[in-house]
Amino acid sequence: MSVRLSISRPATCGQPVEESRLVSKFCWCLVLILALSASSWAAHWEVDDAGRSVAVPDHVHRVVSLSPSLTDIVYALGAQDDLVGITDYTDYPPEAARQKPSVGAIVNPSLEKIFALHPDIVLALPAFNGADTIAGLQHLGLPVFLFNTSNVSDIYRNITSVGRMLGRDQQASALIAQLRLRQERIKHQLTGKTRPKVLVVVAIDPLITAGRSAFMTEMITTAGAESVTQNISQDWLQLNLEAALPFKPDYILLIQGGPVTLKAMQQQPGWNSLEAVQKGRIITVDNRIQVPSPVAFDGLEDLARQVRAVQSH
């Protein structure tokens, strides 16, 4: 940046000295302004989960989260004051939806609303936010950091990444240690016990259930049960009921607050062919277990308690 100074020189005696002082002050102020500006523009490169190099500002204080799971991580790190925007359907923590403005739906958020919030960084999920949204944000000159949320290991890595970006490395390390301890306690309580077989049902006509790649399937395994569809490579899949009958699940796993009930299954043709439906063997799991973030561990502990209860029968 070049700056041109144009200063007239009055002929009055003594003025050149005063003028020199003014110029000196002006120059020092200019140097200070440029230094502060350079500091605010300073950034470093980080590689996100999509393998992209992202210019992350050194001092992040305005964050837009395009995923409820990432929003939960920001809150869990105590950095909610840096969060300036979230998406619809952000249920955890409950105060997030009350405190923060929404930029719209997860799949198609408003680029205009995001840009108007002047974020230092946008946290996004490529699997849900979509290529058009991500490309649009980049076109607007906003740095977008992409995350994966497929398994528990992703939760730990995402906490580390968000903590590093927000200058909360210590809080991230402490949170991860706490969550790992909770996970290990569950594993220890399951040692030597038989795993009940469960069929996840989120819809009955047609049947929609969880495959091997679903986050829910890992949660079920960690809680001490076994999903009968865990060997099917997809995440969420649609099956004919006839295809599910040979699995012979010990229990049906339903999502708390979801549309499926035991009564609905019993009234639907074919479902009474499953002994678990006939005998009403239902496990209703806390819906927090579906959110790949710290709050999932609350749902995990709830499911593990229910699994231990049925194992003792």
Side-chain angles (χ1 to χ4, degrees):
M1 176 183 295
S2 62
V3 178
R4 177 177 295 174
L5 299 178
S6 178
I7 302 175
S8 60
R9 294 179 175 272
T12 309
C13 285
Q15 286 298 316
V17 174
E18 186 63 28
E19 179 182 298
S20 177
R21 289 175 179 171
L22 289 173
V23 171
S24 177
K25 287 182 179 180
F26 179 84
C27 290
W28 276 112
C29 287
L30 181 60
V31 169
L32 180 60
I33 291 170
L34 292 176
L36 292 173
S37 298
S39 176
S40 66
W41 293 334
H44 61 279
W45 293 97
E46 291 197 24
V47 178
D48 66 12
D49 286 351
R52 301 157 58 252
S53 293
V54 182
V56 178
D58 288 343
H59 303 283
V60 173
H61 294 296
R62 296 186 65 81
V63 178
V64 169
S65 167
L66 299 185
S67 163
S69 61
L70 297 173
T71 297
D72 183 50
I73 289 175
V74 173
Y75 267 82
L77 292 173
Q80 57 268 24
D81 289 345
D82 293 330
L83 191 63
V84 296
I86 62 174
T87 58
D88 297 342
Y89 309 112
T90 299
D91 297 324
Y92 304 106
E95 59 267 28
R98 298 193 302 266
Q99 296 174 344
K100 306 297 179 179
S102 173
V103 296
I106 299 171
V107 175
N108 189 28
S110 168
L111 299 184
E112 292 80 6
K113 289 183 179 179
I114 296 171
F115 187 76
L117 292 171
H118 306 293
D120 297 321
I121 192 89
V122 178
L123 312 181
L125 301 182
F128 294 95
N129 300 136
D132 289 344
T133 293
I134 294 166
L137 292 170
Q138 291 176 312
H139 182 72
L140 292 172
L142 300 177
V144 184
F145 199 95
L146 304 181
F147 296 83
N148 290 331
T149 55
S150 300
N151 50 51
V152 174
S153 295
D154 285 342
I155 296 177
Y156 295 139
R157 189 178 63 257
N158 294 346
I159 291 172
T160 298
S161 296
V162 175
R164 185 172 59 249
M165 280 187 275
L166 300 183
R168 291 180 175 263
D169 298 273
Q170 291 185 347
Q171 292 89 333
S173 296
L175 177 58
I176 290 171
Q178 180 190 65
L179 296 178
R180 287 191 185 278
L181 179 60
R182 293 168 69 179
Q183 185 178 3
E184 288 303 315
R185 283 174 178 166
I186 291 171
K187 289 182 178 179
H188 178 72
Q189 293 166 342
L190 297 170
T191 303
K193 295 187 177 181
T194 303
R195 292 177 175 270
K197 296 188 297 181
V198 303
L199 172 65
V200 178
V201 178
V202 297
I204 56 177
D205 188 22
L207 167 61
I208 296 178
T209 187
R212 182 172 63 236
S213 300
F215 177 74
M216 171 74 77
T217 299
E218 183 179 5
M219 291 285 98
I220 290 169
T221 302
T222 305
E226 176 184 311
S227 171
V228 296
T229 52
Q230 67 180 8
N231 292 324
I232 301 177
S233 61
Q234 296 164 256
D235 45 11
W236 293 95
L237 59 141
Q238 179 177 312
L239 288 177
N240 293 325
L241 178 58
E242 291 75 14
L245 296 179
F247 291 129
K248 297 181 179 179
D250 300 314
Y251 289 85
I252 302 296
L253 193 151
L254 303 180
I255 308 297
Q256 184 182 48
V260 181
T261 63
L262 173 61
K263 183 177 180 180
M265 284 189 291
Q266 290 173 334
Q267 293 176 345
Q268 185 75 18
W271 277 91
N272 274 318
S273 300
L274 287 172
E275 184 178 348
V277 175
Q278 293 174 17
K279 297 186 176 181
R281 294 202 295 256
I282 301 293
I283 294 175
T284 302
V285 63
D286 190 314
N287 62 10
R288 289 175 293 182
I289 204 170
Q290 300 182 92
V291 184
S293 70
V295 77
F297 289 78
D298 297 330
L300 175 62
E301 289 171 339
D302 175 72
L303 177 57
R305 283 192 293 269
Q306 295 190 65
V307 170
R308 290 197 300 273
V310 302
Q311 286 171 331
S312 63
H313 289 169

